[in-house]
Amino acid sequence: MIKKLISRLEPFDDWVNNTSEEENLAAKDALKEFLWQIKGLKPSSEYAKSSITQLHTSYILHLVAVKKALAQKKYTRACNEIITLLNKEPLVQPRILNNLINLLAEELNK
């Protein structure tokens, strides 16, 4: 499931955001599709920590990076930051999934 989600964002994975306006807007559309997909996920009922740091709140650093990229309208960078989050944190944990959904819904609808 995570690999499928990542594969949707990979074509737009560019931290530098060295893309045309058209490509950047295509990345925004991919983020909207990604949001629609994760809204359908069921949160896990079992607790899990980060696989990298073993900390409960380590995902917050990734969310801050995503929010900053979206606020700057750097959508390919946001894709990169979300891919990093998906590779390092357990997405279906309610604390991560719900916060990511809320963040994307808020920032992509401005």
Side-chain angles (χ1 to χ4, degrees):
M1 168 200 48
I2 298 299
K3 287 182 182 184
K4 184 176 180 183
L5 290 171
I6 289 173
S7 72
R8 302 279 184 177
L9 297 178
E10 277 181 327
F12 308 101
D13 180 4
D14 181 8
W15 189 89
V16 179
N17 209 78
N18 188 20
T19 59
S20 68
E21 183 64 24
E22 183 179 307
E23 292 170 317
N24 197 45
L25 292 175
K28 182 178 182 181
D29 290 339
L31 288 166
K32 288 180 178 180
E33 181 182 332
F34 174 81
L35 172 60
W36 180 81
Q37 290 173 332
I38 65 172
K39 280 183 175 181
L41 295 178
K42 181 180 177 186
S44 175
S45 60
E46 294 183 26
Y47 178 78
K49 293 180 185 177
S50 166
S51 61
I52 304 296
T53 65
Q54 298 297 308
L55 297 173
H56 176 79
T57 58
S58 60
Y59 73 96
I60 293 173
L61 296 174
H62 300 292
L63 290 182
V64 169
V66 172
K67 182 168 179 73
K68 184 176 178 181
L70 292 172
Q72 296 173 345
K73 300 193 182 322
K74 294 183 176 182
Y75 301 113
T76 61
R77 179 177 293 176
C79 289
N80 174 274
E81 296 292 357
I82 291 171
I83 289 169
T84 301
L85 171 73
L86 295 176
N87 282 318
K88 294 185 176 185
E89 305 291 340
L91 175 65
V92 293
Q93 287 294 292
R95 67 187 185 278
I96 299 171
L97 183 60
N98 293 334
N99 280 305
L100 184 57
I101 288 170
N102 292 337
L103 171 63
L104 289 173
E106 178 183 320
E107 292 296 325
L108 293 173
N109 291 319
K110 285 185 174 180

